[in-house]
Amino acid sequence: MSTHELYTEAVGEPNWQVPSASSARLSWEYDDGRDRLLALYQKGKDKQWDGAKRIDWDLEVDPYDPLGTPDESMSLYGTPYWAKMTDKDKGELRKHYASWQFSQFLHGEQGAMVCAARIVESVPDLDAKFYSATQTMDEARHAEIYGRFLHEKMGMLYPINDNLQALLGDTLRDSRWDMPYLGMQVLIEGLALAAFGLIRDTTDKPLPKQILAYVMQDEARHVAFGRMALRDYYSQLTDAELREREEFVIEGCYLMRDRLRGVEVLENFGIPKAQAEQYSEESEFLAMFRQLLFSRIVPCVKDIGLWGKRLQQAYVDMGVFEMGNSNLDLLMAQDEEIAEKLDAERFAAEEQARVTEVRDAIRSGEAG
Ligand SMILES: [Fe+2]
Ligand SMILES: [Fe+2]
């Protein structure tokens, strides 16, 4: 079925065209790559996987409770609207909210694929082009998986959020080759990764858990790539050039914190925009969620050398400054471990089922 039939509202033109001023660059140096970057490229090749095979698509998903979300975490919980809602309404709200969230993941993954391809095109060094080519493939697989989940299991999609689209547009239009890294790898992916992690660690539904754990295993490499490339490059920039990048980060962070809340979902339930914004502002759960969304961005920004006064102050104002001290390497190692552990558990369960089957077959043979 065409996705356009599943969108909650018409998305207009079938393509979004973003003009760009960036240059394509080819390098004639084929033998001088940075060891760490080439090692990451090798890992990117070794760790490819196929979502059509690795994910158990036969698992059923209840679209009215796809993630096992507790009532208290819904933004309307405790409001007069919630009191008036029937169980059916609440199921409908869960379906819309999860569709909205996974749709933003899907559009973000497509954006990540395009940004990774842009990096292949515009980054000066061949080692970075090689690595980013593997990432382009990773992001294609991710977009495929989220798209399949939404089509097959949810039957509903939301258009891209206006502000996510604006940030993606700014990232793609910029002529500086480091901006797709900063806008996508650091900001948008940093935010997405934190959101994936929160769902992965709280959902009790096996299909979304598999999807998120396996996608996050790849994302750990993407973050490592962004850090490596930007740390090298930013150490050569002037103060003025660094401040420009910091302004971009500050603006992007506020935008995502304040304008990426799924207010459009509540509007679809007849709640006026101002009221919907107020509810999402007042929800204790959402306030906590919004802070946790920065757990991957803040340490990364600090690590790549964007840690000027204004940026530090912005993070103090957002209440996320302390996150700069969290250990990104540890978080990413955990992301990889969780995916491997999930694989091991699933294969052990399958093995057990096979053994039981064989034993039963032998027993029924003996009986007969
Ligand atoms: Fe991705
Ligand atoms: Fe990624």
Side-chain angles (χ1 to χ4, degrees):
M1 186 188 282
S2 160
T3 307
H4 289 270
E5 291 171 40
L6 300 177
Y7 276 121
T8 50
E9 60 187 281
V11 292
E13 295 292 317
N15 282 118
W16 176 39
Q17 295 192 40
V18 188
S20 154
S22 84
S23 299
R25 293 182 181 85
L26 283 85
S27 162
W28 309 129
E29 176 54 71
Y30 292 96
D31 192 33
D32 200 20
R34 287 159 284 188
D35 290 345
R36 288 181 64 207
L37 206 43
L38 290 174
L40 198 62
Y41 169 56
Q42 185 61 44
K43 196 172 175 188
K45 288 187 292 178
D46 292 339
K47 298 271 175 179
Q48 294 287 319
W49 50 278
D50 185 354
K53 297 187 184 121
R54 193 182 187 190
I55 288 166
D56 184 359
W57 291 102
D58 289 338
L59 287 167
E60 299 231 3
V61 174
D62 174 3
Y64 299 101
D65 188 19
L67 303 170
T69 315
D71 284 355
E72 304 78 58
S73 66
M74 307 293 290
S75 55
L76 284 186
Y77 182 77
T79 68
Y81 284 95
W82 187 260
K84 277 187 271 173
M85 286 173 99
T86 62
D87 284 348
K88 191 165 173 285
D89 296 335
K90 290 173 188 170
E92 202 63 48
L93 182 64
R94 282 199 182 86
K95 178 180 175 183
H96 273 257
Y97 198 71
S99 299
W100 177 81
Q101 193 157 39
F102 278 73
S103 296
Q104 304 317 313
F105 293 167
L106 169 63
H107 303 310
E109 295 288 2
Q110 186 189 174
M113 176 180 73
V114 171
C115 284
R118 170 66 52 80
I119 292 172
V120 172
E121 179 183 82
S122 60
V123 72
D125 306 305
L126 198 66
D127 53 4
K129 288 182 191 294
F130 279 177
Y131 173 76
S132 204
T134 69
Q135 182 172 339
T136 307
M137 185 61 202
D138 292 347
E139 308 297 11
R141 293 183 294 102
H142 299 170
E144 175 203 336
I145 290 165
Y146 284 121
R148 182 167 174 181
F149 179 76
L150 286 161
H151 279 84
E152 277 182 22
K153 306 296 182 181
M154 300 300 294
M156 176 186 279
L157 283 94
Y158 264 78
I160 188 169
N161 171 280
D162 288 345
N163 299 286
L164 178 58
Q165 185 167 19
L167 185 58
L168 184 56
D170 287 345
T171 299
L172 283 169
R173 265 185 293 269
D174 206 291
S175 64
R176 294 167 291 186
W177 69 258
D178 62 304
M179 294 312 270
Y181 280 93
L182 192 59
M184 178 50 76
Q185 311 263 35
V186 177
L187 293 185
I188 299 177
E189 295 212 77
L191 184 87
L193 204 52
F196 294 172
L198 286 166
I199 301 173
R200 177 196 64 187
D201 298 340
T202 53
T203 186
D204 55 358
K205 308 290 180 189
L207 182 62
K209 201 182 190 82
Q210 283 178 21
I211 292 176
L212 293 159
Y214 296 152
V215 167
M216 287 186 80
Q217 185 180 22
D218 294 342
E219 300 295 349
R221 292 194 297 277
H222 306 172
V223 175
F225 174 53
R227 283 167 75 198
M228 243 181 250
L230 291 184
R231 209 163 25 191
D232 284 356
Y233 182 57
Y234 287 174
S235 65
Q236 306 159 24
L237 292 187
T238 65
D239 271 353
E241 287 167 331
L242 289 175
R243 295 300 86 83
E244 276 169 28
R245 269 102 182 147
E246 286 180 1
E247 287 305 316
F248 179 82
V249 169
I250 293 171
E251 216 173 289
C253 284
Y254 275 116
L255 193 71
M256 290 189 296
R257 186 192 67 162
D258 298 334
R259 296 280 168 257
L260 203 55
R261 296 182 175 185
V263 164
E264 50 270 50
V265 172
L266 299 186
E267 287 186 276
N268 277 340
F269 281 75
I271 298 170
K273 190 170 184 173
Q275 179 79 77
E277 276 170 358
Q278 194 191 332
Y279 285 151
S280 75
E281 182 66 39
E282 287 168 356
S283 159
E284 269 176 45
F285 178 85
L286 279 182
M288 188 183 71
F289 187 77
R290 272 197 293 278
Q291 286 212 331
L292 289 172
L293 284 179
F294 285 88
S295 61
R296 306 285 177 130
I297 296 179
V298 182
C300 185
V301 163
K302 186 176 180 184
D303 180 66
I304 59 177
L306 297 182
W307 203 242
K309 274 217 169 62
R310 265 181 52 80
L311 187 60
Q312 290 191 36
Q313 190 54 50
Y315 285 152
V316 169
D317 292 342
M318 291 183 197
V320 298
F321 179 78
E322 295 300 322
M323 288 175 178
N325 298 325
S326 57
N327 186 337
L328 213 47
D329 291 316
L330 186 69
L331 283 171
M332 291 187 317
Q334 282 168 348
D335 291 342
E336 298 193 80
E337 260 167 44
I338 288 172
E340 281 158 16
K341 212 173 132 222
L342 185 60
D343 272 341
E345 283 165 9
R346 289 178 58 205
F347 294 139
E350 274 173 30
E351 192 56 38
Q352 189 55 46
R354 242 194 317 275
V355 168
T356 312
E357 207 177 292
V358 171
R359 198 179 291 147
D360 290 351
I362 293 171
R363 226 172 259 155
S364 66
E366 281 168 357

